[in-house]
Amino acid sequence: MAERSTAAVDVADNSGDEPLTAKADQATADGVAQNPERDTESDKAQGSGGIEETEKASPPELHSGHKLARRYRLEECVTRLDGFSSWRAVDEKLRRAVGVHILPADHSRARSVLAAARSSALLGDPRFVQVLDAVEENDLVYVVHEWLPDATELTALLAPGPLEVHDAYQMVSQIASAMAAAHREGLAHLRLNPNAVLRTSSGQWRIRGLAVNAALRGISSDTPQRADTEAIGALLYAALTQRWPYESDAYGLSGLPKGVGLIAPDQVRAGVHRGLSELAMRALANDGATASRHESACTTPEELVKAIGEMPRIRPPEPAFTAPPEYQRTTYQQGTYGRPSPPGATQVPPTPPPPLQSRTGKALKWAVSALLIAALGLGSWQLADALMDQGNKSEDTKQTQTTDGNDKGGDKTKPVKTLAIQGAKEFVAKGDAQHPNDVDKTYDGDPSTYWRTSSFIGGPVLAPYKPGVGIVYDLGSAQNVSAATIGLYYSGDHTTVKLYAADSLSPSSLDSMTQIGTVTTTGTSATVKVTKQVKSRYVLVWLTALPHADGDQYSDAGYKQAITDVKFTG
């Protein structure tokens, strides 16, 4: 088990053939929270241009928790490569997750990265991951962009198999029209690969890294429209076949067999849609190799959009309805009533029970009736007597209470009072702190604010990687704590909370404290009752097991928890 790293370093692998006209190092993770730096495959950007000579500038010394412009707090490094780094960060002003590319201001590509980012930001097309800020400050150049926690890379979508026909059609339609709009504004991508294409939870396709990813790696092209068109064809080819349309393996996909050249998708896998197969070939083989199919090659995204429009529209699959379960007759319905008898069968009516018509039967009926009347009379008398006794007892009780109201031997139950919290501090038993600057949010009276843990890969129990995470609270003076009520942000699985009596706000170790209570819950609140009375000024709320939760704007999916509110009673 390991906590999600905040300083992940990944180096590009540029092995394999280069079927296109430009090549660069690996891509950055531009906004998928659940997929930190996956672009480790060979990059195949199109175009006849070359790659700018890489300057080995030293990347700035940054770390998790560092703030840019007193606003963007760096959380996790997802790429550190070639003099620049890419981070998942938090915009503390708008309280949302963002992505940040950072490189030294004296880097040879700094000026081109700034220019590309500002040009991309001016496009404002929602089909692209938006650039939010591009700044040169304190010897650093950084580009801030959207982070989409609900989106999934095409790489991950293709891992289990090729896309369904309608999904592939929607993907190529939306990507081609988006790139056509970008080229009309003079912007090219040049690194359009499965890591740069995302599908959101609503089914919309988004493109990340427009112009910026190529600028970060010094990629240029003399024919940018042709390069991006060929890249769209490669994406469609991969979506239909789960194969990369070149001999080298890339992006988790197997390449084509050596020496066979480029073959149509419907020859690679059975059942591929013929129209989409031809469309992929028209975009990929844009050097005239499609003449045998009597179709012209597509050399620009605009031509590709026109070709898609000429195709018969591919409709989404009909929803599959499950057949209702076979009708089951109940035991009552399995009788013969209301059902026709089979031919040739003689229906025998059931024999009714003999009626009580004899003298003995009549005498028995009168005897039973008399017993019932006697029982009802006796029961009524006993009920009335019991009600009268109860009324007398209640009057006696009232008199006793009135008489003994000032008796010193009465109920001595002490009222429950809420203990005021004077301060708090995060306790770190092992490893790194979680979010020490947010501990005061757990007792500020606002349930919408919280202190949160990191997202852990393994769980729900944190040991042995960490014995736990938590906060020590100062009650101002030594108190007899009876219970603690903890508000939690996430539900599910189970959360285990323990209380410890500590000797200071910064105890030396967990062994120096005394455990006074524990509870496990699956909801969004936990009430820990103290089972061992110890008078203490300092109390530790300690989490040893966390539920599994989905990714959000602050952290990836994993085992995590957040404390919204803490109250102690005594």
Side-chain angles (χ1 to χ4, degrees), residues 453-471:
T453 71
S454 299
S455 181
F456 296 88
I457 297 176
V461 179
L462 297 181
Y465 177 71
K466 272 184 178 292
V469 292
I471 302 172

Side-chain angles (χ1 to χ4, degrees), residues 199-364:
R199 186 174 68 181
T200 66
S201 57
S202 62
Q204 299 300 311
W205 293 88
R206 306 278 301 270
I207 302 172
R208 63 185 179 190
L210 177 66
V212 176
N213 279 8
L216 283 169
R217 291 159 178 82
I219 299 174
S220 61
S221 173
D222 294 333
T223 56
Q225 295 202 47
R226 174 172 171 173
D228 283 342
T229 305
E230 186 173 349
I232 298 172
L235 294 174
L236 178 58
Y237 196 105
L240 296 173
T241 64
Q242 201 189 14
R243 300 288 292 266
W244 193 235
Y246 306 102
E247 291 185 352
S248 58
D249 299 344
Y251 312 108
L253 304 172
S254 301
L256 298 178
K258 303 288 185 181
V260 301
L262 180 61
I263 55 179
D266 55 2
Q267 296 177 7
V268 175
R269 180 183 290 271
V272 171
H273 189 275
R274 180 69 179 272
L276 292 178
S277 176
E278 293 185 356
L279 186 68
M281 294 299 291
R282 293 178 65 182
L284 274 171
N286 52 28
D287 55 357
T290 57
S292 60
R293 292 182 180 263
H294 306 287
E295 296 285 354
S296 60
C298 296
T299 59
T300 68
E302 199 74 56
E303 293 178 358
L304 193 58
V305 171
K306 183 179 179 182
I308 295 171
E310 293 172 351
M311 289 178 53
R313 183 179 177 184
I314 300 176
R315 298 187 178 277
E318 294 293 334
F321 294 100
T322 56
E326 185 179 353
Y327 179 71
Q328 299 290 333
R329 295 182 180 274
T330 63
T331 304
Y332 178 79
Q333 291 169 327
Q334 289 174 356
T336 59
Y337 178 77
R339 234 191 297 175
S341 301
T346 303
Q347 185 172 358
V348 180
T351 304
L356 296 176
Q357 298 296 336
S358 62
R359 286 186 179 181
T360 305
K362 291 182 179 180
L364 182 61

